[in-house]
Amino acid sequence: MMPSKVVPLKEISRVELVSKGHNGCPGCGMCISLRQALKGLGKNTVLAIPAGCVPVVAGGPLPLAGLSVPTILCSFDATGAFIAGIEAALDLKGRKKGVNVVGFAGDGGTADIGIQALSGAFERRHDIIYICYDNEAYMNTGIQRSGTTPYGAWTTTTPVGSLKHFKRESKKDMPRIVAAHNPRYVATASIAFPGDFIGKIKRATELGGPSYIHVHSPCPVGWRFPPDKTIEIARLAVLTGMWRLFEIEDGQYRLTLKVPKRKPVAEYLKLQGRFRHLTPADIEEIQREVDKLWEAQPA
Amino acid sequence: MAQQYKSWKDLPIGAVVPGGTCYLNKTGTWRVSKPVLDRSKCTKCLLCWIYCPDVAIAFDEENIGIDYDYCKGCGICANECPVGAIKMVEEVESQ
Amino acid sequence: MMEQLTRSGNEAAALGAKLSRAEVIAAYPITPSTFIVEYLAQYIADGELKAKLINVESEHSAMSACIGASLAGARTFTATSSQGLALMHEMLHWAVGARTPVVMAVGNRALAPPWNLYANHQDSIAQRDTGWIEFYCENNQEVLDTIIQAYKVAEDKRVLLPAMVCLDGFILTHTRERVDVPPQDAVDEYLPPYRPEHFVIDFDRPLTENVIVTPAWYMEYQYQLEVAMRNAREVIREANRDFAKKFNRDWGGLVDSYFMEDAEVAIMAMGTIAGTARVAVREMRKAGHKVGLIKLRAFRPFPIEEIRKLGSQLKVLAVIDRNCVFGSGGASCIEAQSALYSIPNRPKVLGFIAGLGGKDVGVESIKYILNKALKVSETGRVEREVEWVNLVGGE
């Protein structure tokens, strides 16, 4: 296993494949993840993007478009199948060499409605890269819970009321579900650690597919925090251990960012309105779960 | 913009358009407060550049600049600048 | 020299796709169309067909992969039936809007519940409003020929719509008939390689496909589809004429007519029922009745002009549907009524629902229907507009 290399800021591509003037929300974490991802992928990339927040940036409205790579807006539920078809066609036509066929989908399009197409494409081992930007709910439709919404979070479909409170189920562990397909490469990333993220993207492009990168992308609108805190919160997710940066290459697991002394999860939770209702006991429960996870998984 | 089409006959089949054209959409008008860079403090670490969701920070060998035509004023750059070289200023005050 | 052998409808469909040089095939197994993909897999394994077969995990993904591959420039093919076609529904709309000329063989089969694997047109009729071209075949030769023609029509710049070629489950899919397989070079001359223009992957001039469209332009995009479907009528006629010239087999274009020159009463049918109807019409002619057959080959686009022309000479048109629009009548009957309504001397139209879920529609059933129609032509009175034929227990 060759570990991914953290790309120093000065060496990150200056080519902007996301055009300015897009309609993403101020402080949008997805926009940051898309921009950073394309810096790692480069211009020879075919992108398929399903319904979600990305089309807001990439697709219009007519006649405008936001990305300077060939882009196909695909259906919500079938990103994996679309990129499988694109990859097969390019391969047949002898056009695949040096080209990245990439799906860039949100957590709903990946972990919920799109998981079947994703699983099929990974089982068939297409030469594809699938990037999931995880903003932990259906943000473009107005903050509904998804399979990756964490325990304790308020969403519009897991409201806080007098009888029921917030999401009671824990976050679906997508990277490990994908890892169970034994792909070439699986990695988690954070927009607060662009050198690590872009290094992982580059590693995926070197390896050939299938590769999966799951990037944690805070959403100021849905997580209820001021837009200038997007990176701060993304960083805190990693430093508190709520989000863990690792990679699995051909089955070999490696933690890519060691956090010597994890900060209390409360520091991450208290900055976000979606966790405002949590009692100290709820927070302790979340802390225990995070501690358990770190004890269970190899460093 | 979309007004260029006079008829359904002019619309590109399959809604296919050239990419990277949304710079025609000047999102700077969204801004409530604007980031102001103090060049004397700036160390050109490029963190503001890589964290900007709106591709509104550009740099060359000498300078870093904020593109106010597109900056939506989210304030990530000011929040992340490790040396406090970027301050957010109310749009009204700055005019 | 033409190769002449007996082939099942499924093999004929696979041969049609092979001769058309399908480049990406994505499919999921379902009875009775599964064999189509098995044949194609074997052609690829034997090096007879240079194509990529994607064994997807669902029909929804089959169509999605076909659309992705088509946008990436490949000629694509898939096959399905029944529940599989229903599962694809979302992506059928998608293939139309993306203007991807995917060709699909549909082994028509009833939808569950209750489970039934046999011939029924409900699966493809339920897709009539997606914007797909729909062909229905009478025999295995027509299946092979129509797949080739379907590509010719679908990829035409005036059309650029996907097309399905329907063959009755088991009656055609699993039954062997003599099928002449045209030589590859002749098919290559008829059907040049697919060269899409509306979307191409070019890294120096990157395009974005399917951008968001505001209410100001969505209706205009729908009208483009309507125009494409209208254009398909003439393109289907052309494709049939060119095919007939080259391969000496004329399937009639949108419709095929039989004993219609002086017919006063006619039966209209799709798929294999049309074949049975030929026998019934021939026998009734021998008995001195002025009856004829209109075989509906294209259901989408609906052959409005042909039906008006043929219908204007008739006293009664009896339409058999192997489907039911619940609460109304048979789908092709409704279409025919709509097409005929505004002509000056419109015939009476009788609707018959028959053969659902593989129930046999024999020569006697057709004769029964024709006799009913003859009686209406004498009395001028329609007693029942829609009748379920051979229904146990009666209506």
Side-chain angles (χ1 to χ4, degrees):
Chain A
M1 174 185 177
M2 288 270 294
S4 63
K5 289 193 191 74
V6 175
V7 182
L9 279 180
K10 310 268 177 198
E11 289 172 26
I12 292 173
S13 168
R14 297 189 195 185
V15 178
E16 299 293 352
L17 295 169
V18 177
S19 171
K20 45 198 175 185
H22 64 72
N23 284 325
C25 302
C28 168
M30 179 281 292
C31 296
I32 301 170
S33 63
L34 179 62
R35 183 167 164 248
Q36 292 179 355
L38 281 167
K39 284 188 177 297
L41 291 166
K43 72 191 266 277
N44 289 346
T45 296
V46 187
L47 208 57
I49 55 174
C53 294
V54 213
V56 174
V57 171
L62 184 84
L64 303 182
L67 304 182
S68 296
V69 294
T71 301
I72 290 167
L73 275 74
C74 67
S75 70
F76 200 8
D77 38 14
T79 311
F82 263 83
I83 54 179
I86 295 166
E87 186 257 356
L90 292 179
D91 193 20
L92 184 100
K93 299 264 179 193
R95 291 190 64 196
K96 209 179 76 183
K97 200 168 185 295
V99 171
N100 306 311
V101 180
V102 180
F104 191 89
D107 45 296
T110 302
D112 295 344
I113 198 168
I115 194 168
Q116 177 180 316
L118 166 64
S119 174
F122 273 70
E123 182 270 327
R124 296 190 303 272
R125 304 194 75 75
H126 288 275
D127 184 5
I128 51 172
I129 299 172
Y130 192 110
I131 302 169
C132 170
Y133 65 94
D134 187 359
N135 51 27
E136 301 188 332
Y138 292 87
M139 293 315 185
N140 200 42
T141 44
I143 324 166
Q144 294 81 27
R145 116 204 247 284
S146 79
T148 73
T149 302
Y151 171 90
W154 161 92
T155 69
T156 55
T157 52
T158 52
V160 177
S162 57
L163 294 179
K164 289 189 84 175
H165 313 290
F166 55 82
K167 193 192 177 198
R168 313 300 304 192
E169 304 82 24
S170 57
K171 188 178 174 71
K172 190 188 276 193
D173 194 349
M174 251 339 264
R176 289 191 174 272
I177 291 170
V178 180
H181 293 72
N182 295 316
R184 287 307 313 271
Y185 188 66
V186 172
T188 58
S190 163
I191 55 169
F193 298 85
D196 173 81
F197 178 29
I198 294 168
K200 286 168 174 169
I201 297 259
K202 284 185 179 295
R203 188 67 192 137
T205 64
E206 289 161 12
L207 283 168
S211 297
Y212 178 84
I213 297 171
H214 193 116
V215 57
H216 196 233
S217 303
C219 168
V221 179
W223 296 12
R224 300 294 197 239
F225 63 79
D228 61 333
K229 301 285 184 217
T230 304
I231 294 295
E232 190 177 328
I233 285 171
R235 187 183 298 114
L236 275 169
V238 174
L239 299 182
T240 57
M242 294 280 296
W243 188 245
R244 195 178 161 100
L245 299 183
F246 64 83
E247 63 187 356
I248 304 169
E249 185 177 318
D250 293 328
Q252 292 284 307
Y253 174 92
R254 188 175 80 95
L255 195 66
T256 55
L257 187 85
K258 299 218 162 50
V259 187
K261 192 172 179 335
R262 276 183 284 121
K263 289 173 184 268
V265 294
E267 286 192 31
Y268 171 70
L269 301 172
K270 74 183 181 194
L271 285 176
Q272 304 171 52
R274 65 173 173 158
F275 296 117
R276 183 171 45 204
H277 51 274
L278 295 181
T279 63
D282 293 331
I283 293 172
E284 268 175 47
E285 170 66 25
I286 294 172
Q287 183 68 62
R288 268 199 303 276
E289 285 302 312
V290 170
D291 292 345
K292 228 161 53 185
L293 199 75
W294 279 79
E295 280 156 26
Q297 289 182 7
Chain B
M1 307 297 278
Q3 288 74 16
Q4 68 186 279
Y5 307 118
K6 295 215 160 34
S7 153
W8 59 269
K9 292 176 196 160
D10 303 333
L11 295 173
I13 299 275
V16 175
V17 297
T21 54
C22 67
Y23 60 83
L24 292 167
N25 186 26
K26 298 281 174 70
T27 49
T29 55
W30 299 16
R31 202 169 50 240
V32 180
S33 56
K34 75 192 253 185
V36 176
L37 172 69
D38 180 349
R39 292 214 160 79
S40 67
K41 288 187 184 169
C42 173
T43 63
K44 289 187 60 188
C45 70
L46 302 182
L47 280 172
C48 58
W49 167 73
I50 198 64
Y51 287 144
C52 177
D54 297 312
V55 204
I57 293 174
F59 68 92
D60 60 20
E61 298 315 310
E62 266 115 61
N63 283 311
I64 287 187
I66 297 163
D67 190 339
Y68 293 113
D69 279 349
Y70 300 99
C71 167
K72 294 169 188 161
C74 69
I76 289 176
C77 53
N79 198 59
E80 292 307 315
C81 179
V83 294
I86 304 175
K87 289 270 171 298
M88 296 306 287
V89 180
E90 289 291 310
E91 273 294 325
V92 208
E93 287 172 42
S94 71
Q95 280 162 6
Chain C
M1 260 302 281
M2 291 243 184
E3 193 194 351
Q4 294 183 356
L5 277 169
T6 63
R7 316 269 183 180
S8 69
N10 278 338
E11 190 178 1
L15 283 166
K18 174 177 169 246
L19 288 163
S20 302
R21 296 191 188 276
E23 294 170 306
V24 174
I25 299 152
Y28 187 79
I30 184 166
T31 303
S33 59
T34 312
F35 285 126
I36 298 174
V37 186
E38 291 181 10
Y39 281 114
L40 287 163
Q42 195 65 51
Y43 302 150
I44 295 169
D46 292 341
E48 291 176 28
L49 174 64
K50 185 176 178 269
K52 283 261 177 184
L53 173 62
I54 313 178
N55 292 306
V56 282
E57 77 298 335
S58 80
E59 289 87 354
H60 189 284
S61 282
M63 188 48 61
S64 303
C66 282
I67 295 165
S70 182
L71 286 170
R75 180 172 285 161
T76 57
F77 182 78
T78 186
T80 192
S81 296
S82 182
Q83 314 296 136
L85 187 58
L87 182 59
M88 267 184 198
H89 178 76
E90 180 201 13
M91 302 321 295
L92 298 185
H93 283 282
W94 206 283
V96 171
R99 308 302 292 272
T100 47
V102 181
V103 169
M104 166 164 61
V106 175
N108 284 116
R109 161 184 152 182
L111 284 150
W115 281 119
N116 174 293
L117 307 178
Y118 301 97
N120 205 100
H121 292 162
Q122 201 80 13
D123 51 359
S124 48
I125 289 295
Q127 312 306 334
R128 68 184 174 172
D129 300 335
T130 55
W132 276 65
I133 293 164
E134 288 191 15
F135 292 106
Y136 288 80
C137 298
E138 183 181 338
N139 56 50
N140 295 347
Q141 185 70 59
E142 190 178 13
V143 171
L144 187 152
D145 293 355
T146 306
I147 298 253
I148 298 167
Q149 289 185 27
Y151 279 110
K152 184 88 168 169
V153 174
E155 292 171 2
D156 191 289
K157 297 284 174 286
R158 294 164 288 177
V159 179
L160 218 57
L161 292 174
M164 59 179 88
V165 177
C166 302
L167 54 155
D168 286 342
F170 290 99
I171 303 171
L172 289 188
T173 58
H174 285 60
T175 307
R176 296 181 79 92
E177 296 180 326
R178 199 192 88 170
V179 173
D180 293 346
V181 181
Q184 184 67 59
D185 53 351
V187 177
D188 289 344
E189 282 168 21
Y190 176 78
L191 183 69
Y194 176 48
R195 300 237 187 278
E197 289 169 10
H198 67 297
F199 181 76
V200 283
I201 290 172
D202 180 343
F203 301 106
D204 295 320
R205 290 178 55 252
L207 296 171
T208 297
E209 186 265 350
N210 177 25
V211 292
I212 296 162
V213 168
T214 61
W217 297 111
Y218 184 80
M219 191 156 159
E220 284 66 20
Y221 267 108
Q222 296 305 103
Y223 191 67
Q224 282 191 343
L225 302 180
E226 169 63 16
V227 169
M229 189 58 100
R230 287 183 196 170
N231 289 346
R233 292 198 178 99
E234 191 48 38
V235 176
I236 290 169
R237 291 181 198 117
E238 270 178 35
N240 181 70
R241 273 199 299 273
D242 293 349
F243 191 93
K245 215 179 288 171
K246 192 155 199 74
F247 301 99
N248 213 19
R249 279 192 297 275
D250 186 347
W251 298 101
L254 296 147
V255 299
D256 183 36
S257 53
Y258 185 63
F259 279 110
M260 283 301 293
E261 296 73 24
D262 60 345
E264 290 173 2
V265 166
I267 201 149
M268 187 170 103
M270 303 195 288
T272 53
I273 293 178
T276 313
R278 278 179 206 274
V279 181
V281 165
R282 206 158 53 224
E283 290 181 7
M284 301 267 295
R285 276 276 170 177
K286 272 187 200 151
H289 300 290
K290 285 191 170 175
V291 295
L293 165 71
I294 301 170
K295 180 177 98 173
L296 200 55
R297 188 164 174 251
F299 176 71
R300 279 289 180 274
F302 196 77
I304 294 174
E305 289 167 47
E306 282 86 344
I307 297 300
R308 282 184 183 159
K309 190 162 167 287
L310 292 166
S312 62
Q313 68 182 52
L314 294 173
K315 288 185 182 157
V316 180
L317 175 65
V319 183
I320 307 184
D321 273 287
R322 196 170 218 141
N323 67 78
C324 178
V325 181
F326 295 105
S328 186
S332 71
C333 181
I334 299 167
E335 297 278 345
Q337 285 168 327
S338 163
L340 293 169
Y341 189 77
S342 54
I343 65 169
N345 301 309
R346 61 173 183 266
K348 298 266 187 293
V349 178
L350 304 177
F352 295 89
I353 310 286
L356 304 190
K359 191 181 278 276
D360 191 37
V361 184
V363 176
E364 289 311 311
S365 310
I366 312 272
K367 283 184 177 170
Y368 165 83
I369 289 166
L370 278 169
N371 281 321
K372 282 236 157 178
L374 285 166
K375 196 175 163 211
V376 171
S377 80
E378 284 160 23
T379 62
R381 266 207 338 271
V382 177
E383 278 163 17
R384 196 191 267 170
E385 287 181 15
V386 183
E387 182 181 337
W388 288 54
V389 181
N390 293 338
L391 186 73
V392 178
E395 281 187 72

